[in-house]
Amino acid sequence: MASFKSDYQAPDLPASLSALAPQNQAPSTLTPLTSSRVVHSSDLLERSGHWGKAELELAASLKDSLPEAVSQAMREPFSARALILLLPLVRNQDPEAFQSPALATATGPELLREILRLRPLVENLPLTLHMPLMDLCLPALRQLSPNQYHHFEAQIMVIIEEDQGISLFEYTLLKILRLRLRSTFVRQTPVQAHIYNLKPILPEALCLIAALAYFEEKDPDRLQAAFEQGTRQLSLTGIPYPLPSREACSLVEVDRSLDLLARAVPGLKKNILYACASTVMHDRVLGQEESELLR
């Protein structure tokens, strides 16, 4: 059974691209962050899903700040695959992973050479830019053939499963790629929003909120406080909900919960998003790991 790697560590990431711009500097000046940024929950929720002028300017500055070889690679379907496969390899910080027989077999010699060519460039990128880089690769990846896409997804799984665990970043990467790309290559029945009230999906919503609380907090009192702050957004009676056990909030359960919550109507989804954001930002600081899981 897959589980989050307990030793996964990464610098903090702001709530949106606009927060990557340092305070008192123009948005076009891109400076990597290596520590947490204070983010107000109302700001995150108001900006969630919305791209304003600052975000667009910063996205353009991100493209301009990338090495030319990376900019070219993200526009080519073959090289974009190499960039995406590089991201979990670089995040794992295991040099031996690049010599893995499983990686060589999964990628083949040409793609492996492209991975190794781009490796030093991606290793020098701040971790805060890994998710935006993935987003920039999506248009090129949509040019793959269905067979190429299925092979690509299998290659990602080989890399993720090589170390017998799945990190938060790997889970988020895989989930977003499937959400953004599968509809291009796989005929799917659209998800019907037919859940109109919280009651039938309350256990799944509590699972999600508890998983965020467990991931963020180790101290029992702070853990309980984070969970209660999130669930107050959902409480219909004012009576506190009990905190689910850690075992009940495994990655498998979180994934199952997300699939079911996708069937909720937009207004209900928004309430659950408020609850999730309130949980991870009970200390008014949004870190990279929490931001990646919120995605």
Side-chain angles (χ1 to χ4, degrees), residues 6-75:
S6 58
D7 60 347
Y8 176 71
Q9 297 291 331
D12 294 320
L13 179 72
S16 68
L17 278 176
S18 61
L20 284 170
Q23 293 178 354
N24 303 321
Q25 294 189 34
S28 59
T29 304
L30 187 64
T31 300
L33 295 182
T34 56
S35 61
S36 299
R37 287 288 298 272
V38 176
V39 180
H40 298 283
S41 58
S42 58
D43 293 339
L44 171 64
L45 294 170
E46 287 299 320
R47 302 181 72 88
S48 179
H50 298 282
W51 282 71
K53 182 180 179 181
E55 282 83 1
L56 294 173
E57 288 179 349
L58 196 71
S61 74
L62 169 59
K63 290 183 179 181
D64 293 340
S65 69
L66 291 172
E68 181 59 28
V70 174
S71 296
Q72 290 179 357
M74 71 187 190
R75 294 192 290 266

Side-chain angles (χ1 to χ4, degrees), residues 146-289:
N147 285 339
Q148 287 174 328
Y149 169 75
H150 291 303
H151 191 199
F152 172 56
E153 191 172 282
Q155 291 167 335
I156 296 174
M157 292 307 302
V158 167
I159 292 174
I160 289 177
E161 293 173 352
E162 177 71 9
D163 55 4
Q164 305 300 313
I166 181 167
S167 71
L168 175 59
F169 176 82
E170 289 168 343
Y171 170 74
T172 307
L173 176 73
L174 185 61
K175 193 75 173 178
I176 290 176
L177 286 174
R178 286 177 171 174
L179 287 171
R180 302 278 185 87
L181 294 179
R182 269 196 171 179
S183 61
T184 303
F185 303 103
V186 180
R187 180 173 296 179
Q188 296 175 309
T189 302
V191 175
Q192 299 297 322
H194 65 273
I195 300 175
Y196 296 91
N197 63 77
L198 180 63
K199 187 175 180 179
I201 55 172
L202 179 59
E204 287 74 21
L206 294 180
C207 170
L208 198 58
I209 294 167
L212 288 163
Y214 278 119
F215 190 83
E216 183 180 2
E217 296 294 350
K218 307 303 180 187
D219 178 80
D221 292 336
R222 291 175 60 84
L223 166 66
Q224 185 68 35
F227 177 74
E228 290 180 358
Q229 179 157 316
T231 56
R232 275 196 292 270
Q233 298 285 340
L234 299 179
S235 179
L236 304 177
T237 63
I239 301 174
Y241 296 114
L243 174 66
S245 68
R246 187 181 295 271
E247 292 73 21
C249 305
S250 67
L251 177 56
V252 171
E253 290 302 315
V254 167
D255 197 54
R256 185 188 65 80
S257 297
L258 285 172
D259 288 341
L260 182 60
L261 294 173
R263 301 180 181 278
V265 295
L268 187 52
K269 286 181 182 176
K270 184 175 181 180
N271 289 341
I272 296 171
L273 173 62
Y274 268 83
C276 291
S278 297
T279 300
V280 300
M281 290 164 41
H282 77 285
D283 55 0
R284 305 187 72 173
V285 175
L286 183 68
Q288 175 171 329
E289 295 164 325

Side-chain angles (χ1 to χ4, degrees), residues 113-162:
R113 279 196 295 270
E114 184 69 353
I115 288 172
L116 296 177
R117 181 181 75 87
L118 295 170
R119 175 185 175 183
L121 299 174
V122 175
E123 285 180 332
N124 288 330
L125 290 177
L127 297 186
T128 52
L129 300 188
H130 285 182
M131 278 295 176
L133 178 60
M134 183 205 67
D135 289 333
L136 293 172
C137 288
L138 291 176
L141 294 175
R142 290 192 179 98
Q143 299 176 41
L144 298 173
S145 70
N147 285 339
Q148 287 174 328
Y149 169 75
H150 291 303
H151 191 199
F152 172 56
E153 191 172 282
Q155 291 167 335
I156 296 174
M157 292 307 302
V158 167
I159 292 174
I160 289 177
E161 293 173 352
E162 177 71 9

